[in-house]
Each structure stands twice: as C-alpha cells, then as structure tokens.
Amino acid sequence: MGDHTMKQPSIDILIPTYKPGPEFAMLLRRLACQRYPARQVIIINTEEQYWDPALEAEYPGCRVEHIRREEFDHGGTRRRMAAMSQADLFLCMTQDALPADEDLIGNLVKAFENPLVKAAYARQLPREDCSLAERFTRSFNYPPESRIKTQADLKTLGIKTFFCSDVCAAYDRKTYRELGGFPEQAGFNEDMIYASKVIRAGYAVAYAAEALVIHSHNYTGRQQFRRNFDLGVSQADHPEIFAKYPSEGEGIRLVKQTAGFLVKKRKPWLLVPLVWQSACKYAGYWLGKRYRKLPGWVRKRHVKK
C-alpha cells in the first residue's frame, strides 16, 4: 500500500447536470454510502429552473453552481469544476451513472497506489433495459480485466491507449494542473484528449475493472450520428493526437465482433439495426472529421465553438 496507508488521498466528485431527476437523487444517495468518503460533491447545473433544491439533502455538503445552457461545454465546464477542487484527486461522473456497490470510490483510489498512474476510469456495466448489441459494446470497451496503459502500449493498442471515460474517471489533481487539464473548448472527448496528455507525458492511465458503475444507452440512429459527429469534430481539432492513431480500425473491429456475437446468440435479425446504427455512426464521424468544409450555417448549428 505504500505511503497511502498513512495518509489516504482526499477526493472530490465533480458532476455536471441538466434537468436532473430521480436517477440523480439515487446517484447522490449511493455516493453518500461509499466506504471511501469523498470530501464534497461539486455540481455545475445547467438551467437553474430545472434544479430541485431537495436533491442537495441526498448528499450533505453538496456545492452547487448554476450556469446558462449556452455556457455549458464538456471540456470547459469540467475544467471549471476541477478548478473548484482542492482535493488530492477528483472524480468526474455523469448524472446518469450509478455506483454498482459501496466500493466504487475506494477501488478507483486504489489504482493511484501505482505512482505512475495519474488517471483511472471505471468499468461500465449495462442497465437492465440495455439492448443486446449495446451489452456487447459495454463488454468490448469495458472488459472484466484491469489494465495499466502507458506509452509502450501505443504499438499494440493504438488509439485505445488513450481511452478514458468521464462517465466515471478519477484524476490526480496536481498532475492535471501541470499538464494543463481538460481543453477549454471541447464539445466531446475531453477525457481522451486529457488522457493522451497523461500518456505522452510518460505517466499511465489505469482501467480499474473492480470499480463498477451502471451506465448504458439505447441510442437512436440520429443520436448516434450526433454523438459521432461531435467525436469527429474533436478529432479534427486535435490532429496531434488522432492523426497518428486513427479510431476507424477500432470501430470496424467492434462492428465485426458485435455481428459475430449476434449470430452466435442466434438473433441474426438484430444485424439490421446494427448495420443502420453503424452507418449512422460512420456518417456522423466522417462528416465531423470534415466539419471545416461544411457550409457555414451547418457549422454554426452543429459545432460548438
């Protein structure tokens, strides 16, 4: 355990919210029951009229700030919350991720016992209503085995070396400040952009498979298009990371393996929605990568700058 047996690192939890409901109340309740206590929960909520002050009773010591919708940015808002923290570590979460047990925080903190580790992200388990294809995607991206990723993995893992998810990811605050933190403007992918800084600085990113959150979505084709458009934009804006390690190969591998899984499960009819969703993902990603060539009115509507 090293020095941490004498002094446990302090940790703050950062959660951006928009129209939080009963699920968010449950998240705060489960955070309050963690065996490894957080110092505080810092919340930046978009649009104050949707905030229920009763939510603050679910986690004593919540710190809540409100912003307007046009002020919200995936990178910028989290950057603002990180600047509000004085803890050794801070844990980014989304309002729809639920700790699966009472050891989520403890298992993430444990990853930092390795002095090289400066970021650690949790395993995401599917919800009960999760589609079969999406269940496979969860297991593809979040396998049951933990892993420490360093520069040495770039040859074999490629872009996945930088994979990290702010659905539930903890960061060493001192290193975060030294490396310049999250990008000030990022409509998507701020977690991978920062994780790439960690790796390229010679540190490590830990995937802590024992740290469990319940989180999945059954996205429509349109939602997949939108998400992957934002992903493409973020990659176009950061060629220093993504030009050398493109993500297309990883996407193709996921589609092939998902198709094989559905056939093995004897549900070949599910290949039709898989093909449609994959086409929407690729179209969004392809256009996002080329967003600068799109007409001005399209860029204004779809690209947050």
Side-chain angles (χ1 to χ4, degrees):
M1 290 272 296
D3 291 338
H4 291 331
T5 50
M6 290 180 283
K7 180 190 176 289
Q8 287 192 317
S10 59
I11 188 165
D12 285 340
I13 301 165
L14 320 182
I15 313 173
T17 59
Y18 176 64
K19 294 187 179 179
E23 191 174 52
F24 183 60
M26 191 186 293
L27 163 58
L28 290 176
R29 219 170 294 139
R30 290 191 185 187
L31 288 175
C33 293
Q34 290 291 299
R35 278 193 252 265
Y36 194 110
R39 234 175 45 118
Q40 62 178 336
V41 175
I42 298 170
I43 297 163
I44 288 190
N45 176 64
T46 307
E47 305 292 6
E48 192 168 357
Q49 68 267 33
Y50 299 121
W51 178 259
D52 178 2
L55 284 169
E56 292 164 56
E58 300 294 351
Y59 193 100
C62 272
R63 183 176 171 188
V64 187
E65 285 194 9
H66 300 283
I67 58 172
R68 297 190 312 278
R69 194 167 185 176
E70 56 271 23
E71 290 179 85
F72 177 79
D73 178 271
H74 280 273
T77 303
R78 286 182 173 88
R79 189 181 172 92
R80 181 170 161 179
M81 284 193 284
M84 292 160 70
S85 172
Q86 295 299 315
D88 300 318
L89 309 170
F90 63 86
L91 169 58
C92 288
M93 292 189 74
T94 54
Q95 69 184 58
D96 60 347
L98 289 174
D101 56 31
E102 295 174 355
D103 293 310
L104 170 69
I105 297 175
N107 283 328
L108 278 171
V109 171
K110 209 177 282 180
F112 292 88
E113 289 173 10
N114 179 331
L116 265 186
V117 169
K118 302 300 177 187
Y121 64 101
R123 184 181 180 195
Q124 295 183 28
L125 301 175
R127 299 169 180 276
E128 285 180 18
D129 67 350
C130 186
S131 70
L132 197 59
E134 179 60 20
R135 276 179 190 277
F136 184 80
T137 300
R138 292 292 114 186
S139 64
F140 180 88
N141 288 327
Y142 304 97
E145 307 81 25
S146 294
R147 179 157 194 168
I148 306 282
K149 299 181 290 185
T150 66
Q151 274 181 346
D153 293 300
L154 282 166
K155 290 192 190 99
T156 51
L157 288 181
I159 192 74
K160 275 207 119 168
T161 312
F162 303 142
F163 186 75
C164 184
S165 175
D166 274 348
V167 163
C168 187
Y171 301 95
D172 177 88
R173 193 175 65 87
K174 183 170 175 281
T175 307
Y176 169 88
R177 291 182 69 184
E178 286 167 5
L179 298 179
F182 297 128
E184 283 188 50
Q185 286 192 319
F188 199 70
N189 228 18
E190 79 293 331
D191 36 25
M192 273 184 81
I193 293 163
Y194 177 69
S196 75
K197 291 184 187 180
V198 171
I199 295 287
R200 289 182 299 156
Y203 297 120
V205 172
Y207 166 55
E210 311 79 30
L212 304 171
V213 284
I214 300 160
H215 179 264
S216 61
H217 291 284
N218 293 322
Y219 285 124
T220 63
R222 186 176 179 178
Q223 288 170 319
Q224 294 285 21
F225 177 91
R226 176 75 245 199
R227 279 177 62 80
N228 282 271
F229 181 88
D230 290 344
L231 174 66
V233 168
S234 75
Q235 293 199 6
D237 285 345
H238 293 275
E240 76 282 3
I241 306 163
F242 299 105
K244 195 173 178 185
Y245 304 103
S247 58
E248 288 90 335
E250 196 61 21
I252 291 164
R253 196 165 75 90
L254 171 59
V255 174
K256 282 182 176 174
Q257 289 195 19
T258 307
F261 171 76
L262 294 175
V263 170
K264 194 175 166 187
K265 288 284 183 183
R266 296 184 180 167
K267 299 205 173 173
W269 58 89
L270 292 178
L271 293 172
V272 177
L274 174 67
V275 169
W276 165 245
Q277 294 253 329
S278 302
C280 291
K281 283 182 184 179
Y282 185 72
Y285 174 76
W286 191 89
L287 278 172
K289 290 264 281 193
R290 293 156 181 80
Y291 81 93
R292 291 187 185 92
K293 295 176 183 174
L294 297 175
W297 65 270
V298 177
R299 284 206 308 274
K300 194 172 179 184
R301 185 174 172 187
H302 294 289
V303 182
K304 184 175 170 66
K305 287 287 173 201

